[in-house]
Amino acid sequence: MHALLCHLESVGFSHSPRALGFDEEGREVLSYIEGESGPLGWAKVVEDEGLSAFARLLRDCHDATADFIPPDEAVWAVDTGTPTGGEVICHGDFGPWNVVWQGHLPVGLIDWDFARPAARLHDVAYALQYVAPFRDDAECLRWLHFPQPPNRRRRLERFCTAYGLPSTDGIVDAVITEQQANAQRVRRLAIAGHEPQATWVAEGHLQDLEHKVTWSRAHRHLFE
């Protein structure tokens, strides 16, 4: 991760933390990015301005990692290998909560622990499940700060346009596939004893993820 962050700094990507080495106790030291993040990020992507800026940040991130060559000893949190066939280094957890915001402007991208070589579409599909969103109306209104049920098709199209995709063909299928893969990752990490996934599974979060896949399949007409 430090090699990746140093690469991002070298190519002028200004939205990632800077790797500052380790302190005297062996703890990782990163630069601090001022702004709002975590749960506060959800409200930032409700309006069109924030949604488009969110998509452009992802595109800039992918473009910045496209020529990164991982060190020979690189080990990724999920999967292994080096980029092949047009892959980039995906962030792996690109959601509003991992973006640092100043107003509706994204100024930072944090929590790179799930970064890994993958097709750009991986991050695009992962992000869209949260910001289109592939969620029912009750969750959109209660938890995601929408004042009314969202126009999911329009939001999906707006995100893809801002990212620079030529069309939305196949995007809905890609999101559903990513939702399934995410549930499988959580299960696999939980079985291996990793946190917070082990706690999530113990608390029933895996069933919630599987329910969301079922909902997406049944409501794909809202996106197409």
Side-chain angles (χ1 to χ4, degrees):
M1 290 305 101
H2 281 213
L4 175 60
L5 293 178
C6 288
H7 168 81
L8 291 171
E9 181 178 9
S10 71
V11 298
F13 183 73
S14 61
H15 300 297
S16 57
R18 301 312 182 207
L20 304 178
F22 297 85
D23 67 11
E24 63 280 358
E25 297 183 27
R27 296 174 298 188
E28 180 185 45
V29 180
L30 302 174
S31 62
Y32 177 74
I33 302 175
E34 184 71 36
E36 298 176 297
S37 61
L40 296 175
W42 289 104
K44 306 296 185 179
V45 296
V46 170
E47 300 297 330
D48 288 348
E49 178 185 5
L51 179 63
S52 294
F54 181 68
R56 288 193 294 268
L57 173 62
L58 181 58
R59 177 58 185 262
D60 290 345
C61 171
H62 286 167
D63 289 348
T65 68
D67 59 352
F68 174 66
I69 301 175
D72 292 338
E73 69 277 10
V75 177
W76 308 99
V78 179
D79 302 325
T80 59
T82 57
T84 60
E87 291 182 340
V88 297
I89 304 299
C90 282
H91 180 268
D93 196 14
F94 191 82
W97 61 90
N98 278 334
V99 173
V100 181
W101 302 82
Q102 292 178 2
H104 286 284
L105 181 68
V107 297
L109 180 56
I110 58 177
D111 285 359
W112 289 79
D113 46 318
F114 278 102
R116 60 190 181 278
R120 292 170 182 255
L121 188 58
H122 163 72
D123 271 347
V124 170
Y126 183 90
L128 277 170
Q129 67 177 304
Y130 296 105
V131 301
F134 283 67
R135 299 290 187 268
D136 62 30
D137 288 349
E139 185 170 345
C140 290
L141 299 176
R142 182 176 299 176
W143 301 112
L144 305 185
H145 299 274
F146 286 92
Q148 59 189 18
N151 185 329
R152 296 169 176 84
R153 181 183 297 109
R154 187 184 67 82
R155 289 178 60 82
L156 184 147
E157 291 173 349
R158 186 177 188 90
F159 181 98
C160 291
T161 297
Y163 180 88
L165 293 179
S167 79
T168 60
D169 292 348
I171 293 296
V172 173
D173 285 327
V175 173
I176 294 173
T177 297
E178 173 51 34
Q179 286 182 298
Q180 293 172 302
N182 188 42
Q184 292 167 359
R185 281 193 298 271
V186 169
R187 181 186 293 108
R188 185 167 64 250
L189 290 169
I191 291 173
H194 292 281
E195 290 291 356
Q197 289 80 14
T199 298
W200 290 350
V201 170
E203 294 177 347
H205 182 61
L206 192 58
Q207 288 74 20
D208 181 57
L209 293 178
E210 292 169 347
H211 171 74
K212 286 179 168 57
V213 174
T214 300
W215 184 91
S216 296
R217 287 172 174 161
H219 294 84
R220 60 181 303 142
H221 61 278
L222 297 175
F223 303 89
E224 296 180 322

